[in-house]
Amino acid sequence: GEWHDNENHPSYKLQRQLEGNENQESGEIELENPESNKEIDRTLSELIQPQKSATEFKPSTKVTIPSASTVQMAKKQLADQLKLYNVAEFPIDGDGSCQFASLSDQLFRNLSKTNLLRRLAVQQLRECPEYYIEFVHDDNYLHYCNNMAKKTTW
């Protein structure tokens, strides 16, 4: 099975806690008791630990298109790693929600939380612009947030 079939993995535990607790109207997660909020925060913190190199990251718009041989080599390396860990690549449609669908797949083992994750991300962007504004290349941060709220924006 895939790594996230392990019942002790934080993403498996988080999925069990969240199943059936999503409020479709507001996109908020409702939990039966307030203590569960602390458990989810702790579980998400375990899953999302920034690495030192990530905190020192400086965004760049310079993009170099890799050669065909580099792409071929990267595909082989990925296939080797997938085989090593006995996991499979799960294709995600490039429909504008692929980042959130990928997160839903990795965190909850299905795509059912894709829209919820987008709403939560946009809510975070709107509530804490001081953390994200320097990474947004749109001249109007509010415009960027409004666009990100649309299902087909990536």
Side-chain angles (χ1 to χ4, degrees):
E2 295 185 14
W3 68 269
H4 51 53
D5 284 340
N6 178 348
E7 291 189 25
N8 296 320
H9 191 275
S11 67
Y12 190 89
K13 186 176 180 182
L14 182 61
Q15 179 193 2
R16 284 191 314 231
Q17 290 176 326
L18 294 179
E19 282 179 347
N21 293 324
E22 180 182 338
N23 178 337
Q24 297 295 331
E25 296 291 319
S26 67
E28 295 177 2
I29 298 171
E30 295 176 0
L31 299 169
E32 278 130 29
N33 69 53
E35 287 302 309
S36 294
N37 280 330
K38 292 177 185 171
E39 181 65 27
I40 286 184
D41 287 344
R42 187 169 60 252
T43 303
L44 286 175
S45 294
E46 290 171 12
L47 289 170
I48 307 170
Q49 288 294 321
Q51 301 299 313
K52 184 176 183 179
S53 61
T55 58
E56 296 171 356
F57 175 73
K58 300 292 182 208
S60 171
T61 56
K62 294 180 181 179
V63 176
T64 304
I65 298 174
S67 67
S69 63
T70 301
V71 170
Q72 195 75 9
M73 185 174 64
K75 285 183 178 182
K76 182 179 180 338
Q77 287 174 337
L78 175 61
D80 291 345
Q81 289 295 310
L82 293 172
K83 186 176 180 180
L84 176 68
Y85 293 104
N86 194 29
V87 295
E89 182 178 9
F90 182 78
I92 300 287
D93 290 337
D95 61 359
S97 287
C98 51
Q99 177 181 3
F100 301 104
S102 296
L103 285 169
S104 182
D105 171 61
Q106 292 299 297
L107 293 172
F108 307 109
R109 300 183 315 142
N110 62 59
L111 303 181
S112 68
K113 306 281 192 238
T114 300
N115 293 332
L116 170 66
L117 291 170
R118 179 183 288 276
R119 286 191 303 268
L120 291 172
V122 171
Q123 179 181 339
Q124 177 69 16
L125 288 168
R126 288 179 173 153
E127 290 177 1
C128 303
E130 65 275 12
Y131 294 119
Y132 309 104
I133 198 163
E134 67 184 88
F135 299 103
V136 173
H137 297 289
D138 193 317
D139 289 336
N140 184 324
Y141 186 79
L142 181 58
H143 179 258
Y144 172 80
C145 292
N146 290 339
N147 271 341
M148 284 304 297
K150 297 175 186 172
K151 287 185 180 182
T152 57
T153 301
W154 53 277

